[in-house]
Amino acid sequence: QKEVEQDPGPLSVPEGAIVSLNCTYSNSAFQYFMWYRQYSRKGPELLMYTYSSGNKEDGRFTAQVDKSSKYISLFIRDSQPSDSATYLCAMGGSEKLVFGKGTKLTVNP
Amino acid sequence: GAVVSQHPSWVICKSGTSVKIECRSLDFQATTMFWYRQFPKQSLMLMATSNEGSKATYEQGVEKDKFLINHASLTLSTLTVTSAHPEDSSFYICSARELAGDSYNEQFFGPGTRLTVL
């Protein structure tokens, strides 16, 4: 079993839709959970970061962590064409990060 | 926000040559830098962790004699792909972190370097 599993998609939604992205993990030692957005041929940029179970909201983005189920989610409300990118979950301790494969999202106008 | 640059952004080289990629933290001092490799439609795979002034720690399966990492200053790390072959063609991304320790410190990613070996 891989440490981090993420459905690569692709996922295509109409503009304005709510998008749900998910990752599961197997290592209970992971303490920090991140979501990165990566545009084609660019480096990842951090969207959301959390270190505890529960929800964290930032504008149109909500990150959820359920440590008991080893499951994390990213919700995007009122999705925009500019949200079209690959979204990678990442998690780890104080040192290394382990990344999911990324989910390619396309928001159609 | 913190900015990390990489140079070059893309490089094409002949098989058997060596290629050096630079990673710089522009507005902060990076005690730790990470080097990742990303193949098409794949995740970022950590290659090595580099702390300023000490030898890099390589992940299992990464040849340290092939991928030479130098982190000589708090703002610069270099990755040299020695005797590159077509299978080394990939997107190489560095990230930099300001502080080490028990608490999480965000990794800031560079824009990546696309290497194509002919």
Side-chain angles (χ1 to χ4, degrees), chain B residues 4-114:
Chain B
V4 175
S5 70
Q6 276 184 247
H7 178 80
S9 55
W10 59 271
V11 57
I12 301 173
C13 70
K14 291 183 180 179
S15 185
T17 60
S18 294
V19 174
K20 180 185 281 190
I21 302 169
E22 290 186 350
C23 177
R24 293 182 186 272
S25 57
L26 299 186
D27 50 5
F28 67 100
Q29 293 185 325
T31 55
T32 306
M33 286 186 171
F34 303 86
W35 286 95
Y36 295 85
R37 181 167 52 184
Q38 186 178 34
F39 291 106
K41 299 187 179 181
Q42 297 295 315
S43 184
L44 277 74
M45 297 301 295
L46 180 65
M47 299 174 67
T49 301
S50 167
N51 291 299
E52 185 265 338
S54 60
K55 288 185 179 180
T57 302
Y58 290 80
E59 295 298 301
Q60 192 173 9
V62 178
E63 299 175 57
K64 61 180 181 181
D65 293 330
K66 182 170 183 63
F67 298 99
L68 301 179
I69 292 171
N70 183 282
H71 191 168
S73 79
L74 286 171
T75 59
L76 173 65
S77 176
T78 60
L79 167 68
T80 302
V81 184
T82 61
S83 187
H85 290 285
E87 59 265 29
D88 298 322
S89 299
S90 188
F91 194 50
Y92 291 86
I93 306 175
C94 73
S95 70
R97 190 176 69 190
E98 189 166 13
L99 295 171
D102 294 334
S103 63
Y104 170 78
N105 289 285
E106 181 180 349
Q107 290 185 30
F108 298 96
F109 284 83
T113 296
R114 184 160 300 281

Side-chain angles (χ1 to χ4, degrees), chain A residues 3 11-13 21 40 51 54 75 79 87 98 105:
Chain A
E3 278 195 298
L11 184 60
S12 182
V13 301
L21 305 167
S40 182
Y51 58 87
F75 297 96
S79 56
Y87 290 80
V98 180
L105 171 67

Side-chain angles (χ1 to χ4, degrees), chain A residues 16-50:
Chain A
I18 296 174
V19 176
S20 172
L21 305 167
N22 312 293
C23 287
T24 58
Y25 63 97
S26 59
N27 189 340
S28 56
F30 288 148
Q31 301 171 283
Y32 304 103
F33 305 89
M34 279 73 68
W35 285 95
Y36 285 85
R37 179 173 60 196
Q38 186 178 24
Y39 293 109
S40 182
R41 299 175 183 263
K42 301 289 184 184
E45 56 174 326
L46 183 67
L47 275 179
M48 302 283 288
Y49 143 61
T50 184

Side-chain angles (χ1 to χ4, degrees), chain A residues 60-105:
Chain A
R60 295 184 296 110
F61 298 90
T62 300
Q64 272 187 359
V65 175
D66 182 346
K67 286 188 175 180
S68 62
S69 301
K70 297 190 180 68
Y71 187 88
I72 70 171
S73 301
L74 177 71
F75 297 96
I76 307 174
R77 291 185 299 281
D78 188 24
S79 56
Q80 303 294 310
S82 57
D83 295 327
S84 298
T86 295
Y87 290 80
L88 300 119
C89 63
M91 48 199 80
S94 58
E95 294 296 325
K96 299 187 289 188
L97 292 179
V98 180
F99 283 82
K101 271 192 173 183
T103 300
K104 184 170 183 177
L105 171 67

